[in-house]
Each structure stands twice: as C-alpha cells, then as structure tokens.
Amino acid sequence: MNLFRSEEHVERWLAGRAPGATIPVAQLAALAFAWWSDRLSPDWRPHTRDQNQAILDAAGLTGDFWRLP
Amino acid sequence: MDEGDLGLRNATYRLVAELGRVPTADEAARATGLGLDDVRARWRSLHEAHALVLDESTGEIRMANPFSGVPTRFRVLADGRSWHANCAWDAFGICAALGADGRIETTCPDCDEPITVEARDERPDDETLFFHCLVPAARWWENIVFT
C-alpha cells in the first residue's frame, strides 16, 4: 500500500504485473480518517465486518476488489 | 476477544500515545499490573482477532495498526513526535488516530524520489499523488505484513 508520484509511476512500477486498485490520495485520506480515527479512544470497540465495509463504501470504494471477506 | 483482552488492547494503545512508540510486553505488564505471561497470552488472542499483529519470532508487537512497531518507509511527524506507519493508508491513519495534522514522508516505489505530503484538516496538501493497493480486500489478512 504505497504512495506514487503519478498513475504513470504506478504502471511503470507494476512492470506488467496484474494491478490492484489505484485511487487519488485525497480519497485515501478520507478513507483513513474514517477507518482509524477511533483507534486511541479509551472506549474503542472492534469494528464489525459490516462497519468496515460501510466505511469503504462511503469512501467510494465499491466493487469486488474492495469487498471484505 | 474477551473484556480482559479488550482492556489490555486499550491499555496498549494508551501506551502507544504516551510513549510515542509501540510498547514492549514488559512495559505493558508493568503499566497494567498484569503478569508477563498474561500479557503475551492476551496479545496472542488480540493477534488472532486482528486487533494487533505480533512478530512471530519475538512475541512483541509488529503492528498496533496504524502504528508500526518497527521502522518503515512511512514516517509521520505529528503531535510533536515522529512515528512509523505500516503503509501509506496507515500514515494518514496515524494523523487520524492522534486527531492531529501531520507530515508524511515516504518515497515513490517506482523512482525512489522522496514524497512529502501534509495532512491538514484531514486532507492532503498535495492532491496530485496516487495510492496503489496491490492486494484485494478479501485477502488483506492472509499476509497483513505484505499487504
């Protein structure tokens, strides 16, 4: 899970390997703040699979690649 | 994960914030009053529940996600300290967990050029960058360190 200077850098780095998913960094930041913001809360409880899937969906990350088991 | 596991999990994360790094099992035992064997057993339970990730060779914490227990390519300057994240997602996650703006320093895996991005008010200051995730969500926990 890396940051790249551009989509062209992603493609060159993959060097023909099957790609995963590429998203703009602003979308990543929105996902990260929704996913991790409660981690230091003294009242933290584990997220359910459905809660995490809802966070992905709300960040616009839908489709088979982003489907949790 | 029972209530005792959850209590130790939350105490462990409290130590992350206090120490500015992931605690050792010995530090967690002293801070909580639990025995070292109890800490290790409960951390194992938390590892199996994907609430943290242990180093299999030492039994110490490898990842208290989004914080890394070892140095990585993802350095985060936030809340007046320097942290290491497990990946780019976790780098923003450290800012999220701390509730703080931060500066993320890494390198582009393609060209090795430095990348620096500030997270301010939950947004990156450079929106020209891209994030790539190689492993589909269904397989993230098959090998979370690789993911």
Short mmCIF file of all heavy atoms in Angstrom, two decimals, chain A residues 2-6 9-10 12-13, chain B residues 73-74 104-117 126 129-130:
data_model
loop_
_atom_site.label_atom_id
_atom_site.label_comp_id
_atom_site.label_asym_id
_atom_site.label_seq_id
_atom_site.Cartn_x
_atom_site.Cartn_y
_atom_site.Cartn_z
N ASN A 2 1.18 1.73 -1.19
CA ASN A 2 2.19 2.77 -1.37
C ASN A 2 1.62 4.04 -1.97
O ASN A 2 0.56 4.02 -2.62
CB ASN A 2 3.28 2.24 -2.31
CG ASN A 2 4.15 1.20 -1.65
OD1 ASN A 2 4.83 1.50 -0.66
ND2 ASN A 2 4.15 -0.01 -2.17
N LEU A 3 2.36 5.12 -1.81
CA LEU A 3 2.08 6.38 -2.49
C LEU A 3 3.01 6.51 -3.69
O LEU A 3 4.20 6.18 -3.60
CB LEU A 3 2.32 7.57 -1.56
CG LEU A 3 1.22 7.97 -0.59
CD1 LEU A 3 1.66 9.22 0.18
CD2 LEU A 3 -0.10 8.22 -1.29
N PHE A 4 2.46 7.01 -4.80
CA PHE A 4 3.22 7.20 -6.03
C PHE A 4 3.07 8.64 -6.51
O PHE A 4 2.06 9.29 -6.25
CB PHE A 4 2.70 6.25 -7.12
CG PHE A 4 2.99 4.80 -6.86
CD1 PHE A 4 2.16 4.06 -6.02
CD2 PHE A 4 4.09 4.18 -7.42
CE1 PHE A 4 2.43 2.72 -5.76
CE2 PHE A 4 4.36 2.84 -7.17
CZ PHE A 4 3.53 2.11 -6.34
N ARG A 5 4.06 9.07 -7.27
CA ARG A 5 4.02 10.45 -7.76
C ARG A 5 2.93 10.66 -8.80
O ARG A 5 2.46 11.78 -8.98
CB ARG A 5 5.39 10.83 -8.32
CG ARG A 5 6.45 10.91 -7.23
CD ARG A 5 7.83 11.13 -7.80
NE ARG A 5 7.94 12.42 -8.45
CZ ARG A 5 8.92 12.77 -9.28
NH1 ARG A 5 9.87 11.91 -9.56
NH2 ARG A 5 8.95 13.95 -9.82
N SER A 6 2.57 9.61 -9.53
CA SER A 6 1.50 9.73 -10.54
C SER A 6 1.03 8.33 -10.92
O SER A 6 1.66 7.34 -10.55
CB SER A 6 2.01 10.45 -11.80
OG SER A 6 2.92 9.59 -12.48
N HIS A 9 3.68 6.41 -12.75
CA HIS A 9 4.66 5.74 -11.88
C HIS A 9 4.12 4.39 -11.37
O HIS A 9 4.86 3.43 -11.23
CB HIS A 9 5.04 6.64 -10.71
CG HIS A 9 5.99 7.75 -11.10
ND1 HIS A 9 7.33 7.75 -10.75
CD2 HIS A 9 5.79 8.87 -11.82
CE1 HIS A 9 7.91 8.84 -11.24
NE2 HIS A 9 6.98 9.54 -11.88
N VAL A 10 2.83 4.34 -11.10
CA VAL A 10 2.22 3.07 -10.67
C VAL A 10 2.38 2.03 -11.78
O VAL A 10 2.84 0.90 -11.53
CB VAL A 10 0.72 3.24 -10.34
CG1 VAL A 10 0.10 1.88 -10.00
CG2 VAL A 10 0.52 4.21 -9.20
N ARG A 12 4.47 1.90 -14.27
CA ARG A 12 5.86 1.50 -14.51
C ARG A 12 6.35 0.56 -13.41
O ARG A 12 7.05 -0.41 -13.65
CB ARG A 12 6.75 2.74 -14.58
CG ARG A 12 8.09 2.49 -15.21
CD ARG A 12 8.75 3.78 -15.66
NE ARG A 12 8.86 4.74 -14.57
CZ ARG A 12 8.88 6.08 -14.76
NH1 ARG A 12 8.77 6.58 -15.96
NH2 ARG A 12 9.02 6.88 -13.74
N TRP A 13 5.95 0.85 -12.17
CA TRP A 13 6.35 0.01 -11.03
C TRP A 13 5.76 -1.39 -11.15
O TRP A 13 6.41 -2.39 -10.82
CB TRP A 13 5.89 0.68 -9.74
CG TRP A 13 6.14 -0.12 -8.50
CD1 TRP A 13 7.34 -0.34 -7.87
CD2 TRP A 13 5.15 -0.81 -7.72
NE1 TRP A 13 7.15 -1.12 -6.75
CE2 TRP A 13 5.82 -1.42 -6.63
CE3 TRP A 13 3.77 -0.96 -7.82
CZ2 TRP A 13 5.15 -2.17 -5.67
CZ3 TRP A 13 3.10 -1.70 -6.86
CH2 TRP A 13 3.80 -2.31 -5.79
N ARG B 73 9.22 2.56 5.69
CA ARG B 73 9.40 3.62 4.69
C ARG B 73 8.40 4.76 4.88
O ARG B 73 8.43 5.72 4.12
CB ARG B 73 9.19 3.05 3.29
CG ARG B 73 10.29 2.11 2.82
CD ARG B 73 9.97 1.54 1.43
NE ARG B 73 9.47 2.56 0.53
CZ ARG B 73 8.21 2.61 0.08
NH1 ARG B 73 7.32 1.71 0.44
NH2 ARG B 73 7.84 3.58 -0.74
N PHE B 74 7.53 4.66 5.87
CA PHE B 74 6.48 5.65 6.05
C PHE B 74 6.64 6.34 7.40
O PHE B 74 6.28 5.79 8.45
CB PHE B 74 5.09 4.99 5.95
CG PHE B 74 4.89 4.28 4.65
CD1 PHE B 74 5.20 2.93 4.53
CD2 PHE B 74 4.44 4.97 3.54
CE1 PHE B 74 5.05 2.28 3.32
CE2 PHE B 74 4.29 4.32 2.32
CZ PHE B 74 4.60 2.97 2.22
N ILE B 104 3.76 13.53 6.29
CA ILE B 104 4.08 12.15 5.91
C ILE B 104 5.26 12.17 4.95
O ILE B 104 5.25 12.92 3.96
CB ILE B 104 2.85 11.49 5.24
CG1 ILE B 104 1.71 11.37 6.27
CG2 ILE B 104 3.22 10.11 4.67
CD1 ILE B 104 0.36 11.12 5.65
N GLU B 105 6.26 11.38 5.26
CA GLU B 105 7.45 11.30 4.42
C GLU B 105 7.65 9.85 3.98
O GLU B 105 7.72 8.94 4.80
CB GLU B 105 8.69 11.77 5.21
CG GLU B 105 8.59 13.22 5.66
CD GLU B 105 9.77 13.67 6.53
OE1 GLU B 105 10.52 12.78 7.00
OE2 GLU B 105 9.90 14.87 6.75
N THR B 106 7.74 9.66 2.66
CA THR B 106 7.99 8.33 2.11
C THR B 106 8.74 8.50 0.79
O THR B 106 9.24 9.59 0.51
CB THR B 106 6.67 7.54 1.95
OG1 THR B 106 6.96 6.21 1.52
CG2 THR B 106 5.72 8.20 0.97
N THR B 107 8.83 7.44 0.02
CA THR B 107 9.43 7.54 -1.30
C THR B 107 8.52 6.84 -2.30
O THR B 107 7.78 5.92 -1.95
CB THR B 107 10.83 6.87 -1.35
OG1 THR B 107 10.70 5.51 -0.89
CG2 THR B 107 11.83 7.61 -0.48
N CYS B 108 8.59 7.29 -3.55
CA CYS B 108 7.84 6.65 -4.62
C CYS B 108 8.52 5.32 -4.93
O CYS B 108 9.73 5.30 -5.23
CB CYS B 108 7.83 7.54 -5.86
SG CYS B 108 7.05 6.78 -7.31
N PRO B 109 7.81 4.20 -4.86
CA PRO B 109 8.46 2.89 -5.10
C PRO B 109 8.99 2.74 -6.52
O PRO B 109 9.87 1.92 -6.77
CB PRO B 109 7.34 1.88 -4.85
CG PRO B 109 6.34 2.60 -4.03
CD PRO B 109 6.41 4.04 -4.46
N ASP B 110 8.46 3.53 -7.45
CA ASP B 110 8.92 3.45 -8.84
C ASP B 110 10.25 4.13 -9.04
O ASP B 110 11.19 3.55 -9.58
CB ASP B 110 7.87 4.07 -9.76
CG ASP B 110 8.37 4.20 -11.18
OD1 ASP B 110 8.83 3.17 -11.73
OD2 ASP B 110 8.33 5.31 -11.73
N CYS B 111 10.36 5.38 -8.59
CA CYS B 111 11.55 6.17 -8.92
C CYS B 111 12.41 6.50 -7.71
O CYS B 111 13.48 7.10 -7.85
CB CYS B 111 11.12 7.47 -9.60
SG CYS B 111 10.14 8.55 -8.53
N ASP B 112 11.97 6.10 -6.52
CA ASP B 112 12.70 6.34 -5.27
C ASP B 112 12.83 7.83 -4.91
O ASP B 112 13.59 8.17 -4.00
CB ASP B 112 14.11 5.72 -5.31
CG ASP B 112 14.06 4.21 -5.18
OD1 ASP B 112 13.12 3.72 -4.54
OD2 ASP B 112 14.95 3.54 -5.73
N GLU B 113 12.11 8.68 -5.59
CA GLU B 113 12.14 10.10 -5.24
C GLU B 113 11.35 10.30 -3.95
O GLU B 113 10.33 9.65 -3.71
CB GLU B 113 11.51 10.95 -6.35
CG GLU B 113 12.38 11.07 -7.58
CD GLU B 113 13.66 11.86 -7.31
OE1 GLU B 113 13.57 12.91 -6.63
OE2 GLU B 113 14.74 11.42 -7.75
N PRO B 114 11.81 11.21 -3.09
CA PRO B 114 11.05 11.47 -1.85
C PRO B 114 9.66 12.03 -2.15
O PRO B 114 9.49 12.79 -3.09
CB PRO B 114 11.91 12.52 -1.13
CG PRO B 114 13.21 12.55 -1.81
CD PRO B 114 13.01 12.05 -3.20
N ILE B 115 8.73 11.63 -1.33
CA ILE B 115 7.37 12.19 -1.35
C ILE B 115 7.08 12.72 0.04
O ILE B 115 7.25 12.01 1.03
CB ILE B 115 6.32 11.11 -1.72
CG1 ILE B 115 6.47 10.69 -3.18
CG2 ILE B 115 4.90 11.63 -1.45
CD1 ILE B 115 5.53 9.57 -3.59
N THR B 116 6.67 13.97 0.09
CA THR B 116 6.25 14.57 1.35
C THR B 116 4.86 15.14 1.16
O THR B 116 4.61 15.87 0.19
CB THR B 116 7.22 15.69 1.78
OG1 THR B 116 8.52 15.12 1.93
CG2 THR B 116 6.79 16.30 3.10
N VAL B 117 3.97 14.78 2.05
CA VAL B 117 2.61 15.30 1.96
C VAL B 117 2.13 15.64 3.37
O VAL B 117 2.37 14.89 4.31
CB VAL B 117 1.68 14.29 1.24
CG1 VAL B 117 1.67 12.94 1.92
CG2 VAL B 117 0.26 14.84 1.12
N ASP B 126 -1.16 17.97 -1.11
CA ASP B 126 -0.77 17.71 -2.49
C ASP B 126 -1.71 16.62 -3.02
O ASP B 126 -1.58 15.46 -2.65
CB ASP B 126 0.68 17.24 -2.55
CG ASP B 126 1.13 16.91 -3.96
OD1 ASP B 126 0.28 16.91 -4.89
OD2 ASP B 126 2.34 16.63 -4.15
N LEU B 129 -0.90 13.18 -5.95
CA LEU B 129 -0.35 11.86 -5.68
C LEU B 129 -1.42 10.78 -5.82
O LEU B 129 -2.62 11.06 -5.74
CB LEU B 129 0.23 11.82 -4.26
CG LEU B 129 1.29 12.87 -3.94
CD1 LEU B 129 1.61 12.87 -2.45
CD2 LEU B 129 2.55 12.63 -4.77
N PHE B 130 -0.94 9.54 -5.98
CA PHE B 130 -1.85 8.40 -6.08
C PHE B 130 -1.43 7.30 -5.12
O PHE B 130 -0.25 7.15 -4.81
CB PHE B 130 -1.90 7.85 -7.52
CG PHE B 130 -2.75 8.67 -8.43
CD1 PHE B 130 -2.22 9.80 -9.04
CD2 PHE B 130 -4.07 8.36 -8.65
CE1 PHE B 130 -3.01 10.60 -9.86
CE2 PHE B 130 -4.87 9.14 -9.47
CZ PHE B 130 -4.34 10.26 -10.08
#
